[in-house]
């Protein structure tokens, strides 16, 4: 009888260990998924946001999809919102400045670019994100988003 009790106790311990491991795995997986969705909206433009934007460029080059919503700080009028979708083959970049009171005329509204490639062109002062092989753009290289490196350093200090 004693041997059977020991075997049952051992089986119960193994079962509880497996259950706890599965519960921990599911909790961690849910936490990472939640963090990944939260990480798709960039609005601080600190070092972490720029790294996330660079990750999207890299993922597109690898043929993997991604999605970002960029809301850079407003300076004079209102926000210019960048809605960026990639399926790994095509990238759709929409710029919406309808919330900006300083935009007017032909410049005001939504612009959509459907392109094959995105590139990061970096110099000592700026990160410049460009689109290439865009529908209706005749092999033009389109700079769609630029951010100053000194602003990133300042924003990183603010949002620690």
């Amino acid at each position: 009888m004693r041997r059977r009790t020991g075997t049952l106790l051992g089986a119960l311990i193994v079962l509880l260990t497996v259950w706890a491991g599965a519960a921990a795995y599911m909790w961690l997986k849910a936490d990472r998924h939640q963090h990944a969705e939260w990480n798709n909206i960039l609005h601080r433009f600190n070092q972490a946001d720029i790294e996330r934007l660079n990750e999207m460029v890299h993922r597109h080059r690898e043929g993997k999809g991604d999605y970002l919503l960029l809301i850079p700080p407003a300076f004079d009028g209102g926000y210019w919102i960048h809605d960026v979708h990639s399926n790994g083959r095509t990238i759709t970049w929409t710029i919406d400045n309808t919330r900006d009171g300083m935009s007017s005329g032909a410049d005001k509204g939504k612009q959509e670019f459907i392109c094959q490639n995105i590139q990061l062109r970096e110099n000592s002062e700026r990160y410049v994100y460009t689109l290439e092989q865009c529908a209706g753009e005749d092999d033009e290289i389109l700079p769609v988003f630029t951010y100053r490196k000194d602003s990133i350093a300042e924003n990183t200090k603010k949002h620690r």
Side-chain angles (χ1 to χ4, degrees), residues 46-130:
N46 57 10
Q47 190 61 40
D49 281 2
I50 293 301
E51 287 172 8
R52 179 63 181 95
L53 184 53
N54 292 345
E55 177 187 346
M56 189 265 314
V57 172
H58 183 72
R59 286 180 57 82
H60 183 77
R61 275 194 221 138
E62 289 182 337
K64 298 177 183 175
D66 208 344
Y67 170 73
L68 289 178
L69 186 67
L70 293 86
I71 308 172
F75 293 108
D76 286 338
Y79 294 100
W80 285 47
I81 298 173
H82 299 251
D83 194 10
V84 185
H85 295 264
S86 167
N87 65 10
R89 294 177 308 279
T90 303
I91 188 162
T92 302
W93 192 298
T94 305
I95 303 170
D96 177 359
N97 67 1
T98 57
R99 292 164 186 84
D100 181 12
M102 301 301 286
S103 295
S104 62
D107 292 336
K108 189 159 188 145
K110 291 183 182 183
Q111 291 179 295
E112 182 179 79
F113 303 99
I114 300 171
C115 308
Q116 302 303 309
N117 291 319
I118 182 169
Q119 298 290 327
L120 166 60
R121 298 172 187 274
E122 180 180 352
N123 61 39
S124 61
E125 296 175 1
R126 302 176 191 281
Y127 292 104
V128 180
Y129 298 88
T130 61

Side-chain angles (χ1 to χ4, degrees), residues 126-140:
R126 302 176 191 281
Y127 292 104
V128 180
Y129 298 88
T130 61
L131 298 175
E132 300 172 356
Q133 298 175 333
C134 301
E137 297 296 330
D138 298 330
D139 292 331
E140 266 190 72

Side-chain angles (χ1 to χ4, degrees), residues 144-155:
V144 288
F145 192 77
T146 301
Y147 214 78
R148 290 187 355 254
K149 289 182 176 182
D150 59 346
S151 292
I152 295 164
E154 290 171 21
N155 293 339

